[in-house]
Amino acid sequence: MTEKSENTILEWTPLRRYLLLYVSFFRITALVVGGGLAMLPVIEETFVNRYKLLTKEELLDMVALTQTIPGIIAMNSAVFVGMKAGGIPGAFSAIAGAFTPPFFIILLIASCFPRLNPDNKYLLGAFAGVRACVTGLILVSACKMCRSAIKCKFEILVVAVYFILALCKVNPALLIFSAMPLGCLYLHITLRRKAAAEASLKTKSPDSEKEA
Amino acid sequence: MNWLLLFFHFSKFALLCFGGGYVLIPLLITAFVDEQQIMTLAEFGNLLSIAQVTPGPVGLNTATYVGYVYGGAIGSFAASLGLIFPTVVLGCSAVFSLQKWKQSFLMNGILKGTRLAAVAMILYAVTIFFGMSVFTSAIPWHELGRVFLFQCPEIPDTFRISPAGAVLCACSALLVWKTKIPTTVLILSFAAAGALLAFF
């Protein structure tokens, strides 16, 4: 995992890396309407597919982490990706990139429309178009995510239960926290099963290379 | 209220909001509509819809706007910085400990569990986005759930399929699934398509 990323972006000079983080997050928050998880497909495209900086699993860790620590999801994602790519300075440049466009857009709107109702139907239409586009993107990325992350029937059940709990408006942070001990238990059981299977294999064929 | 106080106010909100910008909204209503009374609930509603339709994270947009109403450009800067500050500190330390204990059994177990929960969260986000584009309002799950109790669900009148939204969403899903078109190009062209549809 780390070897793959070391080959690409981590070889760059730090300054170039920070610049990449700034520009990428600038682009993401300037374009994506809906914030938070809507950014996910674009982050996936940029940092998983193009720069090979994160793996698919790390992307899921990012989603879990952004829901666990308090604060808005978009900024938590920026901190996660920035830290991975360039340590603390990387996190700051990612944050700065994510911060700039919305700040100035809102400042512009707030100073131009003090009555707070933009009724330009073309502008609203454009934003609705972006929202529909983002819906399609996040749908595809959710399908891909399900394929790569869910490996057996039991895991389908777990995801289904959490999905229904989320629909019942249970706080996401609570859900993620509750998944932590469950994950430890699940890992413990799977490891023990694997060990038991290997042990039974060993009794059948004593020459097996389990020690190696 | 000076800008330092605004900064600390928003830092407090950021620490309280587990699970993203939408959790921030009730906190802001309590603080600025009920207690401080710097704006009415209707004004806050307008502000929120602007924050949702403009690009950028909803929480940050709202904070910038409330800050501006309170204290101009400096106010909005203080408010949004305040919102970000706790996140940066907590996020950096979280990622740091994540990397430090990458090999430990406990961390692996925690990640195993949270990854599955994260998949469920993303699926949930898909349903929210469907409510914002393919349908005209949020999907009424509590009504649909009544089917399981053998009752007829009462679908509210505001909940309809929006044909343009559904077509655009299907197009973007197909494009990103079947082609390697960059998302920047995709989003910009869909913005143009949306503006064009508003023309008719």
Side-chain angles (χ1 to χ4, degrees), chain B residues 115-130:
Chain B
R115 274 175 197 157
L116 290 178
V119 173
M121 291 299 132
I122 295 167
L123 289 176
Y124 175 59
V126 172
T127 65
I128 291 182
F129 277 92
F130 264 71

Side-chain angles (χ1 to χ4, degrees), chain B residues 45 90-91 93 123 132 150 170:
Chain B
L90 287 172
S93 42
L123 289 176
M132 291 189 334
F150 302 106

Side-chain angles (χ1 to χ4, degrees), chain A residues 27 45 61 71 76 116 133 135, chain B residues 17 65 87 115 133 172 183-184:
Chain A
R27 191 172 60 99
E45 188 215 23
D61 294 345
N76 294 350
L116 294 172
C133 174
T135 307
Chain B
C17 99
Y65 227 132
T87 300
R115 274 175 197 157
S133 61
S172 88
T183 41
T184 313

